[in-house]
């Protein structure tokens, strides 16, 4: 399931592309860090949630009843999600998968409500769905979405990429990273430096795409010189670049999560165990060699060496 969900993440596709590896091999290689981080996070959440307090289920029952009265809550609502899983299983690219899922959802809308006008559909796509159940909590939860709701994040991405472009154009990133990349003499130090660079770009620019692209370009040659497979670099880029972005208050992910949940980033940061653990585990794997793949010597190179001898 984790493999299928990561297929649709743009940062996962970007990490694989920057490193020059197959997307599905990259996703499978992420399991070395993703699964331990997930298991540790589950244990920590279980410990925190295993208190003496009991939740009041009356409000939950009321919410469920309101949803059933106003919406068709059944198995068919899962069809667009199932379409995404099937496309992922068939190794269909992310954009066609998302488009197909949207088309299926639109068809289901017209089947459920045949009188829906195309103008209403355009309004939903542009401004999002507006819930009118009469329950303030449910209406606040469901009234969102649409292109306009994403414009704040999109504008932040554009500004961050513009800043990143200036840093690249004026050789600021190269001046900082290249001297560092040439002085690393072990796999552990190389992965640690790459992870810290990803985190540093997140803190400096607040853009997860640049936290993958800039360190990826700066350290790619160092990984090749160390005899490491590109999968080793792609995993570090995602574990320390993409995942950490949601922990930075001024980042794209941090702003989106804080806005969606109405919770400041610094408040949920101590409980974001998965995001905190991924870079730690990937650095641990770098120093221990767990899950680190080496480049295979090409047959042609071996034969050439034998002839020269």
């Amino acid at each position: 399931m984790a493999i299928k969900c990561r297929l649709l993440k743009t940062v996962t596709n970007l990490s694989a592309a920057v490193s020059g590896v197959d997307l599905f091999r990259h996703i499978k290689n992420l399991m070395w860090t993703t699964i331990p981080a997930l298991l540790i996070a589950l244990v920590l959440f279980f410990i925190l949630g295993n208190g003496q307090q009991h939740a009041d289920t009356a409000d939950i029952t009321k919410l469920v009843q309101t949803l059933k009265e106003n919406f068709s809550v059944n198995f068919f609502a899962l069809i667009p999600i199932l379409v995404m899983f099937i496309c992922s299983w068939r190794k269909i690219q992310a954009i066609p998968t998302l488009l197909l899922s949207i088309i299926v959802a639109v068809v289901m809308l017209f089947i459920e409500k045949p009188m829906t006008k195309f103008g209403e559909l355009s309004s939903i796509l542009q401004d999002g769905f507006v819930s009118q159940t009469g329950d303030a909590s449910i209406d606040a939860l469901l009234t969102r979405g649409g292109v306009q709701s994403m414009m704040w994040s999109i504008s932040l991405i554009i500004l961050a990429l513009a800043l990143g472009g200036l840093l690249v154009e004026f050789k600021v990133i190269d001046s900082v990273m290249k001297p560092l990349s040439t002085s690393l003499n072990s796999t552990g130090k190389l992965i640690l430096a790459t992870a810290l660079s990803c985190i540093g770009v997140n803190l400096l620019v607040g853009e997860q795409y640049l936290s993958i692209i800039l360190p990826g370009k700066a350290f790619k040659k160092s990984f090749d010189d160390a005899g490491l497979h590109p999968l080793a670099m792609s995993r570090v880029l995602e574990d320390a670049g993409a995942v950490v972005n949601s922990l930075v208050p001024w980042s794209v992910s941090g702003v989106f999560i804080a806005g969606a949940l109405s919770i400041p980033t610094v408040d949920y940061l101590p409980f974001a165990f998965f995001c905190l653990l991924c870079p730690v585990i990937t650095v641990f794997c770098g120093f221990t060699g767990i899950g680190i793949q080496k480049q295979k010597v090409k047959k042609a190179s071996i034969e050439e060496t034998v002839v020269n001898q």
Side-chain angles (χ1 to χ4, degrees):
M1 182 178 294
I3 292 177
K4 294 175 181 178
C5 291
R6 282 185 178 270
L7 172 67
L8 301 177
K9 291 181 63 177
T10 55
V11 289
T12 301
N13 285 266
L14 183 60
S15 299
V18 169
S19 304
V21 298
D22 176 71
L23 173 61
F24 287 89
R25 291 189 65 189
H26 165 64
I27 295 173
K28 291 179 180 179
N29 192 51
L30 285 172
M31 297 302 106
W32 286 101
T33 53
T34 299
I35 292 179
L38 180 61
L39 293 176
I40 296 173
L42 288 175
V43 171
L44 292 174
F45 281 126
F46 176 79
I47 295 173
L48 290 175
N50 194 26
Q52 300 299 322
Q53 296 182 353
H54 298 281
D56 185 6
T57 59
D59 292 338
I60 298 176
T61 304
K62 180 182 177 181
L63 292 177
V64 172
Q65 185 62 32
T66 304
L67 288 173
K68 289 181 178 179
E69 291 175 355
N70 291 271
F71 303 98
S72 298
V73 182
N74 51 50
F75 171 77
F76 294 102
L78 297 175
I79 291 179
I81 299 176
L82 292 176
V83 169
M84 287 196 295
F85 277 100
I86 293 172
C87 291
S88 301
W89 174 59
R90 298 297 300 173
K91 297 185 179 181
I92 300 175
Q93 294 299 318
I95 293 179
T97 297
L98 291 173
L99 289 176
L100 182 59
S101 179
I102 292 172
I103 292 173
V104 171
V106 171
V107 172
M108 290 176 59
L109 171 63
F110 282 105
I111 293 175
E112 180 71 22
K113 295 183 178 181
M115 302 305 294
T116 302
K117 300 179 181 179
F118 282 98
E120 296 179 62
L121 176 61
S122 300
S123 178
I124 292 174
L125 294 174
Q126 182 70 15
D127 302 318
F129 174 74
V130 179
S131 175
Q132 298 177 343
T133 64
D135 188 304
S137 58
I138 290 182
D139 290 342
L141 177 66
L142 300 181
T143 303
R144 58 184 66 241
V147 176
Q148 291 301 323
S149 67
M150 296 183 289
M151 292 309 297
W152 165 243
S153 298
I154 292 174
S155 64
L156 193 59
I157 291 173
I158 293 174
L159 293 173
L161 288 174
L163 175 59
L166 292 174
L167 294 177
V168 172
E169 181 66 23
F170 290 107
K171 308 295 183 181
V172 175
I173 299 298
D174 290 342
S175 300
V176 174
M177 291 186 174
K178 281 189 177 180
L180 176 63
S181 63
T182 56
S183 61
L184 303 172
N185 54 12
S186 71
T187 300
K189 291 180 180 179
L190 176 58
I191 290 179
L192 174 61
T194 307
L196 292 177
S197 298
C198 293
I199 296 173
V201 173
N202 268 314
L203 293 174
L204 177 64
V205 183
E207 221 300 305
Q208 57 186 348
Y209 298 148
L210 291 177
S211 70
I212 294 172
I213 296 173
L214 298 181
K217 289 184 176 181
F219 289 99
K220 185 172 180 59
K221 186 177 185 302
S222 297
F223 275 82
D224 292 338
D225 293 341
L228 297 176
H229 195 281
L231 286 170
M233 186 177 75
S234 67
R235 189 172 71 195
V236 181
L237 295 179
E238 181 151 358
D239 285 340
V243 175
V244 173
N245 189 256
S246 59
L247 303 179
V248 181
W250 50 89
S251 69
V252 176
S253 297
V255 169
F256 173 79
I257 294 173
L261 301 179
S262 298
I263 299 175
T265 306
V266 292
D267 287 352
Y268 71 73
L269 188 151
F271 304 100
F273 299 128
F274 181 82
C275 299
L276 294 170
L277 286 168
C278 277
V280 175
I281 294 176
T282 201
V283 171
F284 173 79
C285 290
F287 281 99
T288 59
I290 298 175
I292 302 297
Q293 297 188 34
K294 303 286 186 177
Q295 287 185 349
K296 294 182 179 179
V297 180
K298 295 182 180 179
K299 184 177 180 181
S301 299
I302 297 176
E303 293 177 349
E304 184 180 351
T305 302
V306 173
V307 171
N308 291 335
Q309 290 178 347

